[in-house]
Structure formats: structure tokens, C-alpha cells
Amino acid sequence: MPSILVTGSKGQLGTELTLLAAEYPQYQFTFTDSHGMDITDEKSVRDLFTANRFDYCINCAAYTAVDKAESDMEAAFNLNATAVFHLAQVTREHNVRLIHLSTDFVFDGKKSKPYTEEDQPSPLNIYGKSKWRGEEACLQQNSKSIIIRTSWLYSPFGNNFVKTMQKLGRERKEIGVIYDQVGTPTYAYDLASTIMTMLPRLNENITGIFHYSNEGVCSWYDFAVAIMELSGLSSKVKPLETVEYPTPAKRGHYSVLNKKKIKATFGLTIPYWRDSLKKCIERIEKYNDNEQR
């Protein structure tokens, strides 16, 4: 039975993979977080791979606090780059296929058409630079690795834009949201399902970088308006320009990912972002109802 190690299992994507595991009895799963295996500790990584046999490692662990990274550079690079270097090295030594998650933040957002896997990264902030360094380490240390870049991840779990907007929508009559940054939201459940679809189709010739997000394009403003509407909230969303909402980390104005490669390679049909948002909000409401009972 193939064995899968999932790191960062308490994050949004890791949680969705944990919940999906029951639907894939043909695999044996091991889920770890920073308490089970600190991937920034090379010895801890080596000890786990020496004591266990894995066929795949899905690395969901990451430093994702984009603005905080500007003043916490060492921690961001330690988790997003140095740790990935050691993980890629150890997975290569143990002949494990590494699937590593990355981000649209490796690009500067100056293009006006979707970014392909061949476009040259040029990150604007520390978070993006740390993730790009991790990609390079991954490819250099494990030639069999797969990198999946994604964008605007959300789910019913943890902290994300959807849950933040719902909270603000219940507390305020009006919310200001950026309208001149354009990309595509990604429902973590869809990404987790895609990874599980990819696994049995991987062969020696499939390596390198792939892009995945939901289909379609929107601004953060459009995203927020849809969240209010689908959540039944009456809070008005006011469009803001990026200059009106300064943040420690610079952000690009365009980060749409071209998904042609991953769709063609794995035969995928990717859901439209608004359809997936509706499904996520329904799950959030279901979880909230269960908690109140």
C-alpha cells in the first residue's frame, strides 16, 4: 500500500487532505505538523524518513503571514526555503516523490495575461522571495519533485479572506476592499482533491512546476461582494485602490495563473471560483450550525 506523508497538516490544505483521507483507503496516510515533525529541524526530518517508508510527501507546511514576513524575514526563509531544501534532499535520498506547494506571490503582477510555469519569477516581497527560494531548493535537490503554485487559498478552516469578510460583514455596515488587484481564489478542498487525483497519474516523466487555482478571474472587491451575497450579509463593499490601503508587503496588481499545463497533463476539469465559494460557505454554515447545537 503506497504511503503518504502530509506535512503542515493543521493548515487549510493539510486539514482538507486529512478529511479526504477516508475516501482513499488505497493509501496509508501519516499527518504531521510542527509538533510531530519540525521541518526546519534537519535531524527531525531525517529521523522520520529513516524510521518510516513513504512513497509520497505532500509539503503543506509554510510561513504564510505575508505582511509579518517583512519584519520576520529569518523565520519566513527558514520555513519556506531552508526547510524545503532539507526536505527535498531527504526525499531524494529515500526515493520519495515530493509535492511542494508554492504561490502566485513569486510573480510581480506586472503582466496582463495569466502567468505560465515558464514565466520568470520576480517577487515583490519577502514572502514571495522566500517561496521562490524554496522552489529553487526543491528542484535542485530532488529532480522528481512537483511544485504546485496556487493563489488566494481559502477554506472553512483557519484564517482566510472568506472568514474575515464574513466576520466583518456581521460587524460593519460598510467594508473597504481593494479592487485593483486581480487574481483567482482557490478553494482548498478543490486543490486537495486535485492532488489526490494527480498521485496515481504521476510517472518518472512528470516533474517540475504546475499552476492551480479555480477557474475565472476576479478582484478582491469582486470576491468580497460574492462572499457577502452568498453569505446573506447586507454589509456594503466599498472599492478601494491599493494606494488607499497601504500594507507592509508590496503586492502585484495581476496574479492570474494559467492552468493549461495541469489540466492537460492530468485530465482535470477545474470548478469556477464562484461555484466553489458557494460550496465552501455552505460548509461553513453547516459547521457553525453543528457547533451551536
Side-chain angles (χ1 to χ4, degrees):
M1 179 183 291
S3 179
I4 302 171
L5 171 66
V6 178
T7 63
S9 64
K10 295 293 172 59
Q12 294 190 80
L13 182 59
T15 299
E16 293 286 19
L17 286 166
T18 302
L19 294 173
L20 271 177
E23 298 179 22
Y24 294 88
Q26 67 270 39
Y27 295 108
Q28 179 181 339
F29 288 86
T30 300
F31 296 96
T32 68
D33 59 9
S34 57
H35 300 293
M37 180 190 72
D38 180 1
I39 71 165
T40 65
D41 180 351
E42 184 182 359
K43 184 179 183 303
S44 177
V45 173
R46 290 191 175 279
D47 287 348
L48 185 67
F49 278 84
T50 300
N52 301 272
R53 183 192 66 81
F54 300 114
D55 297 287
Y56 304 97
C57 174
I58 305 171
N59 181 34
C60 304
Y63 184 108
T64 58
V66 177
D67 289 315
K68 188 179 177 183
E70 294 297 305
S71 58
D72 198 16
M73 184 171 67
E74 184 177 352
F77 272 89
N78 194 28
L79 186 52
N80 292 344
T82 306
V84 177
F85 177 93
H86 295 310
L87 192 60
Q89 196 174 53
V90 173
T91 52
R92 183 198 71 224
E93 292 168 1
H94 288 266
N95 196 30
V96 176
R97 287 301 294 267
L98 174 61
I99 299 171
H100 173 66
L101 278 298
S102 192
T103 174
D104 60 317
F105 275 87
V106 300
F107 298 117
D108 60 17
K110 294 180 180 178
K111 280 188 69 175
S112 56
K113 62 179 183 179
Y115 282 92
T116 71
E117 292 81 356
E118 286 71 41
D119 283 320
Q120 179 63 29
S122 180
L124 296 176
N125 53 50
I126 295 300
Y127 169 68
K129 290 174 182 176
S130 69
K131 292 296 288 183
W132 183 26
R133 185 77 62 81
E135 289 186 5
E136 292 180 316
C138 198
L139 295 172
Q140 290 167 4
Q141 294 301 313
N142 188 338
S143 61
K144 293 182 179 181
S145 59
I146 300 282
I147 293 170
I148 304 174
R149 291 180 182 140
T150 191
S151 61
W152 300 20
L153 196 68
Y154 69 92
S155 74
F157 315 107
N159 299 316
N160 57 67
F161 187 77
V162 172
K163 293 174 72 178
T164 297
M165 287 299 103
Q166 287 184 321
K167 180 177 184 293
L168 293 176
R170 288 188 290 267
E171 296 173 350
R172 303 180 187 178
K173 293 182 179 179
E174 183 176 279
I175 309 165
V177 180
I178 303 298
Y179 76 86
D180 58 353
Q181 291 177 21
V182 175
T184 310
T186 305
Y187 183 23
Y189 172 85
D190 291 339
L191 178 53
S193 297
T194 292
I195 292 171
M196 295 310 302
T197 299
M198 291 169 64
L199 290 184
R201 303 180 191 187
L202 291 177
N203 59 48
E204 294 295 315
N205 298 320
I206 299 177
T207 60
I209 301 171
F210 293 87
H211 287 172
Y212 184 90
S213 68
N214 283 115
E215 294 284 21
V217 178
C218 67
S219 68
W220 287 108
Y221 167 81
D222 299 320
F223 194 17
V225 170
I227 292 166
M228 295 303 157
E229 180 186 329
L230 294 171
S231 301
L233 296 170
S234 59
S235 182
K236 181 181 178 182
V237 182
K238 176 185 175 183
L240 299 177
E241 289 187 51
T242 297
V243 293
E244 297 178 79
Y245 191 79
T247 56
K250 290 183 179 180
R251 288 163 168 79
H253 288 281
Y254 188 89
S255 64
V256 181
L257 299 175
N258 184 312
K259 298 171 285 290
K260 182 178 179 180
K261 180 180 176 183
I262 198 168
K263 287 191 287 188
T265 302
F266 299 101
L268 300 178
T269 299
I270 301 176
Y272 176 54
W273 72 266
R274 191 180 165 96
D275 293 338
S276 290
L277 174 61
K278 184 174 185 291
K279 290 179 180 178
C280 180
I281 288 173
E282 288 171 353
R283 281 177 75 196
I284 292 172
E285 291 172 352
K286 180 181 177 182
Y287 292 149
N288 288 341
D289 287 344
N290 290 338
E291 286 178 1
Q292 290 171 6
R293 287 174 186 169

